[in-house]
Amino acid sequence: MSNVGTSVPRTDGPSKVVGTAKYVDDLSMPGMLHGATLRSPVARGILKRIVKDPAFDWTGITFVDATDVPVNVVALIQDDQPVLASHEIRHRYEPLALIACDDALRLARAARHVTFEIEPLPAIFDPRASFERREIVAPPDNVFGRYRITKGDAEAALASCEVVVSGTYSVHHQEQLYIEPQGVIAWFDERGAHVHGSIQCPYYVQKGVKKTFVLTESDVDVVQTVTGGGFGGKEEYPTVISLHALLLAKKSRRPVKMIYDRQEDIEATTKRHPAEIGIVTGCDRDGTLRAISIHVLMDGGAYVTLTPVVLSRGILHAAGAYRWEHVLAEAVAVATNTPPNGAFRGFGAPQTIWAVERHLDKVARQLGMDPLVLKSNNVLRVGDTTATSQTLKESVGIGECIEKARTASDWDRKRALGPVVQGRKARGIGACVFMHGAGFTGSGERRLKGRVALDLLLGGRVRIRTASTDIGQGTETVFSQIAADALGLPMSQVEFLQPSTARVPDSGPTVASRTVMVVGSIVEAAARELKERIDAEQAATGLDRRRAMDALVFRAMGTAEHVYDTPRDLEWDDATYRGDAYPVYGWGCDIAEVEVDLDTFETKVLGFWAAADVGKAIHPTHCKGQIEGGTLQAIGWALHEQIVWKDGAILNGRMTNYIVPTSLDAPPFTTLLVEAPYSRGPGGGAKGIGELPMDGGAPAIAAAIEHATGISMDNLPCLPEDLFERARKGRAA
Amino acid sequence: MKLFTYDAVSSLPAALAARRGTFFAGGTTLVDLMKLEVLTPERLVDIGSLPLTKIEATPARLRIEALARMADVAASHDVLRNYPVVAQALLRSASPQIRNMATIGGNLMQRTRCSYFRSVAEPCNKRVPGSGCGAFEGDNRSHALFGGGPACVATHASDLAVALVALDATLTLTSAKGSRDVPLAEFYLLPGSSPSTENVLAPGELITAVNATGGPRAARSLYVKVRDRASFEFALVSVAAALALEGGMVKDVRLAAGGVGTKPWRLAAAESALRGQPATLAAFEGAAKRSLEGAMPLSGNGFKTSLLERTVVKTLARLGGVS
């Protein structure tokens, strides 16, 4: 019996198809109120007074401001963000007050009868101005995080290299645009606080609720309802909306539902961090890469949220998938007066990989080399050391990725042909080579100690209890496959318990490409332990399998709870940022072929070849789905998506004007799975791939545009008018 | 959304007898704007079930009744064969779901996509006369090159209207007093100092049909639309062209542009430059230059001038079979 490696029907599929799956907005509680957030109309200022219109009838409307908040911080990395601003306002849309009412229409009317007296302060939107401290918008120095990685002596090496190339690259905000907007229902009862909602990480929400309401673990139950996507956007933000709903629930003594509409969701919640990256590299004339120096400046937005961690992952990926003897990488993240930037698939890596890949295309141009040959010649292999001096010991499938993508896309012929101009259109092909650390950085897993429990149930069934959420990516199905195979049971005998902090152990957050690889391996270990118990029971009693399982349940021996067995040979030093940054890496080679209209400079992606080393594809269809979905998100970032800002406000906060690709914009995908198994991965070697596919799309598209037109884009997005402007300037020069 | 009353009428006389109210058919624009509280009608008069859905597209004559759905018109073989620019403009509009609901009359009555018009928090002379214009000094990437002024620079959003201007189409307008035919190019008004008045419809008057004459020019027509993604997006720039050739010479031509004007913009200077010229790339390029006459770029939409010029060339080159 083998479920692993087979694309079994997804376990959550039928209920979603027939509409019985309950998303948070499908739920209702007796006596429930609707809640709304009143937000700052300015980007920076001092809140002087909140004015409730005395002419309005406030009967039946619950009103909450900062004076109602027991401990006014959103507990995350640093407790700098208030649940409701009481004095200083740091960004447009910052929550200032909350209202609730049983009638949603009256609620909307009431919202218009609250005004804020605010003394405006000068705001900063340019991270460079923040870095130079032209205003202090986040005391003491506007800095949210700093990292430095060194290997060898990059400065000295660069001085003696035959070919030195430098460049500056930048990337912009991106909205996650999950299908289901943020939403929760929250209430208090005799057992404590309850939150049900669209949540990636129930234990993060629990942590925030404990802190703000001064409660203990057993007082707070956070339940994940069926969730329509997250992409990181539901990692930290659900804590904020949950705290808001609970504040209203506490004051009104009623359950409160808060659901953002699309505009509020786009305006108020987190985005991908913009960044500016300067790179200087040195290499030999034959293209052997020697030294790299990297400087990253990242825009954190108004509060710390997860910025230091995003910056960390960004700098750890900044040298790309290559062998360098000498590395100097410095990164700093600063505050600006926009809504806080936060987690988004890739988590800092797409930003720095954009830069290093564009840079290596530039190096190849200067050397007159095929860029894929340059990249392939220098790519990391087993035995090489990374920028953090980590020696790669296993599961490096990048060579096979490059070969597969190269052959399938007919790279050699198409690249050698040069740009193909037919009539008024030009075709070109470009490539990106990349890696993405799977699981938490450094000692993260060791500190976290993720746990999973498996229960035998009467009737020969097994139940998985984990805090790893299925937000559409298939956790439920894949965990069931892993557990079923480890136990020797059919999938139909395995259940997945709805995550609830009262009923599932803390497996850690559903982030960092760690769900399948890390938590899946805990599921597998717990399942193996149960299997051993069942085998022993059968051997001792001669019972058949099902009776043996029931016997264990009766003797209260039916539950196996496992803690992650952190690989002991990993060494990481947080102080020097040196060592085994990640237990293992996912690897990828993306090749894009585009056609640029030479009249309008519209870019059409004709084909996309994505080769990814996933270790082992537990569910090949889901795995390819992740790769194609992530790549399309990257194509959107490269060609369509752009937040339009004005004084810290978002001018295009709707799906009609925040442009994401449609199915017609999606290219034909050729997705090539490479399996270089990871010795500690579940199901025979699976690695995390949730974020990997976000990394390669944008650089591959830009490289293809360059091949087709000679226009080299160092910043995103590649809109038609930007391409034309570059072409015009190129002709003028 | 503000409260409103709703009445459905089942005959044209009943609709025309409705003394006050806002006509409602497919609802694809109106409901959206009501949710945003950009429009707050007190009464909706639903005309969606009136029998005004006939599509006639012979080689000689085009007549589309106002409540025909966009999808049905786009799918008509006669329209595609005899008036391809109409079918193409419709198919490049909106999404399949919207095209299934939206009507031809409603399409021509749709409001601008200007983000200042669509946001009640921003000033907008079109929405609140006298409140000012946020776009003139603000973000105006999508705004007009032609026909605007300090009061308003919002573009007209309809693709269909651009195609119909290239066919010299007329509209049949019907009121309780009777019917009149108005050239589409004269139906829309420039914003001037009162951008809230967008057309010549009298109160209680209804568009009941779209008319155009066929012929070789209409049969050799094309709609090219440049936008930020392949579907479900309005034009940055679009060009509708209808070209009559005779012995390699341009006998007659119509050119209209979308995404660049406060109303569908006829490129008359480019047309005259092209008439009687050989159908060559050089002639097309020369005419395209003339299409920019009168353009007044704003701070953020300067790229549209050259984009328009290049799109005119592209459209004519494809229609004329040259490259």
Side-chain angles (χ1 to χ4, degrees), chain B residues 29 40 77 97-98 147 150 159 161-162 166 177 193 213 215-216 236 242 271:
Chain B
T29 296
T40 53
H77 286 282
Q97 295 90 331
I98 288 174
D159 292 300
V162 178
K177 289 181 221 151
S193 55
T213 309
L236 279 174
E271 288 176 7

Side-chain angles (χ1 to χ4, degrees), chain B residues 5-47:
Chain B
T5 60
Y6 169 90
D7 295 297
V9 293
S10 53
S11 73
L12 183 58
L16 299 175
R19 297 179 88 84
R20 51 182 190 84
T22 299
F23 291 123
F24 172 95
T28 53
T29 296
L30 189 54
V31 173
D32 195 18
L33 291 173
M34 286 169 68
K35 281 170 147 177
L36 295 170
E37 298 189 355
V38 167
L39 297 179
T40 53
E42 286 174 7
R43 181 181 180 223
L44 293 186
V45 179
D46 187 344
I47 56 170

Side-chain angles (χ1 to χ4, degrees), chain B residues 4 157 197 220 245 307:
Chain B
F4 59 92
T197 309
R220 189 193 283 269
L245 296 177
L307 183 57

Side-chain angles (χ1 to χ4, degrees), chain A residues 63 111 120 244 295 332 356 454 491 552 577 662:
Chain A
F63 186 91
H244 290 168
H295 289 84
V332 58
V356 72
L454 258 63
M491 285 271 292
L552 286 168
Y577 250 57
T662 66

Side-chain angles (χ1 to χ4, degrees), chain B residues 178-220:
Chain B
S179 286
R180 57 174 176 149
D181 276 10
V182 175
L184 183 61
E186 291 165 24
F187 174 76
Y188 295 113
L189 299 173
L190 292 177
S193 55
S194 58
S196 59
T197 309
E198 297 184 346
N199 56 55
V200 302
L201 268 184
E205 204 173 24
L206 195 58
I207 300 174
T208 45
V210 173
N211 318 285
T213 309
R217 205 176 63 209
R220 189 193 283 269

Side-chain angles (χ1 to χ4, degrees), chain A residues 597 599 640 659-660 665 721, chain B residues 141 228-230 310 314:
Chain A
D597 185 310
D599 287 316
H640 307 284
I659 307 298
V660 294
D665 298 285
E721 63 255 44
Chain B
R141 175 175 182 261
D228 284 327
R229 64 180 160 196
R310 290 176 277 121
K314 176 190 173 80

